[in-house]
Amino acid sequence: MPDLKSLQGWRYLQETKFDQNSLFRSKPQVSPAALYKVYKGVSRYELPQPRALESPLTEALATRRSRRRYGDREIGRQELADLLWASQGITARAGSLDLRTAPSAGGLYPVETYLLLFGVEGLPAGAYHFNLGQFSLELLREGDFAKQMTAACINQQFMGQSAINVCWSAVFRRSMSKYGHRGLRYILMDAGHICQNLLLAAEALELAACPVAAFFDDQVNSLFGLDGEEESMVYCASVGPRAE
């Protein structure tokens, strides 16, 4: 059994610790990336304005569970809009920054949202990018990718049985151009904040949802055309109607 200190993750945490000497040390020079990603020349689907969800927060926190069994009905486009707004919707503006429902180090928001839709009312099955600024979906590839996603998620069958897979990527330059090596810590924190918001919104909507971090990175990247170097998937979740 390998010793803890031989693991790459442990070494990374040790090497990116802050102390009085390292805090203001010069960081690697990394050029920044645009704060928003937009796909041009693709079909775009507008989302309805999100609703105010009335479920008490305490109740949603107490009843949230990872739910892996899904019913057959489609998810409504309104429900999808509510989920996406809760996870990363714009709530205010501060100078040049659009503030969102989830916090982000430096207001850089390095996490992009992609979706595989298998059963959403009025939307074709396919791979999408969430255009946050325009609150719309950009269709990247049309088709049913349930089998490919199931295989990419190490054969976790429920990933192909849900109505939606939400996948979050990291645009590394957005954070690492400012925070250097330590920026990766903040990226992963951001993804966690966003996913928890989605899970609580799913609970409020009486939907089933389950976060997933066990997947073959490059297989999931390929479903959305990501290179895995400048941008790569870091987290996923399945969402669907609850099984009866």
Side-chain angles (χ1 to χ4, degrees):
M1 190 172 188
D3 183 78
L4 173 66
K5 296 180 181 179
S6 71
L7 300 179
Q8 291 179 334
W10 185 89
R11 293 201 300 272
Y12 169 77
L13 289 173
Q14 300 309 309
E15 291 171 9
T16 57
K17 283 181 176 178
F18 273 162
D19 58 34
Q20 290 85 347
N21 295 321
S22 66
L23 180 58
F24 300 107
R25 188 178 300 155
S26 61
K27 300 177 180 66
Q29 295 299 305
V30 178
S31 58
L35 290 178
Y36 284 96
K37 186 171 183 180
V38 177
Y39 286 85
K40 297 180 179 179
V42 299
S43 297
R44 181 170 285 107
Y45 295 86
E46 300 299 323
L47 292 168
Q49 289 300 302
R51 302 169 295 182
L53 302 181
E54 297 182 1
S55 175
L57 177 60
T58 300
E59 181 180 331
L61 288 167
T63 58
R64 189 221 59 80
R65 295 292 182 271
S66 295
R67 306 180 194 275
R68 300 174 178 83
R69 295 179 61 245
Y70 303 102
D72 295 329
R73 78 166 177 88
E74 290 186 318
I75 294 291
R77 197 185 295 201
Q78 181 67 65
E79 291 173 299
L80 177 57
D82 296 339
L83 289 168
L84 290 175
W85 183 86
S87 65
Q88 233 185 352
I90 295 172
T91 56
R93 190 166 182 83
S96 61
L97 296 177
D98 290 323
L99 305 181
R100 307 184 190 178
T101 57
S104 179
L108 297 172
Y109 302 103
V111 175
E112 291 283 334
T113 300
Y114 295 83
L115 303 101
L116 291 179
L117 302 187
F118 310 125
V120 176
E121 194 174 69
L123 293 174
Y128 292 79
H129 171 253
F130 175 40
N131 183 319
L132 176 64
Q134 299 179 16
F135 205 66
S136 63
L137 296 180
E138 297 165 336
L139 178 59
L140 307 180
R141 298 171 63 199
E142 189 169 347
D144 185 344
F145 301 109
K147 290 183 179 179
Q148 293 94 317
M149 188 61 174
T150 298
C153 291
I154 316 179
N155 209 35
Q156 297 179 81
Q157 295 298 313
F158 67 90
M159 290 298 285
Q161 296 165 354
S162 61
I164 305 165
N165 290 165
V166 187
C167 300
W168 293 288
S169 73
V171 179
F172 298 110
R173 289 180 184 273
R174 281 191 200 150
S175 283
M176 299 181 91
S177 60
K178 180 175 183 178
Y179 296 113
H181 301 298
R182 196 172 172 95
L184 183 58
R185 290 187 184 215
Y186 304 151
I187 289 170
L188 299 179
M189 291 177 194
D190 276 23
H193 301 323
I194 292 165
C195 183
Q196 178 71 344
N197 280 9
L198 179 104
L199 297 175
L200 292 175
E203 195 66 28
L205 291 164
E206 297 185 348
L207 299 172
C210 181
V212 172
F215 52 81
F216 298 119
D217 303 64
D218 287 339
Q219 288 187 31
V220 179
N221 286 336
S222 69
L223 288 170
F224 300 97
L226 305 185
D227 65 6
E229 296 182 356
E230 291 287 328
E231 182 179 3
S232 187
M233 290 299 173
V234 294
Y235 209 5
C236 297
S238 60
V239 183
R242 294 185 186 179
E244 298 295 333

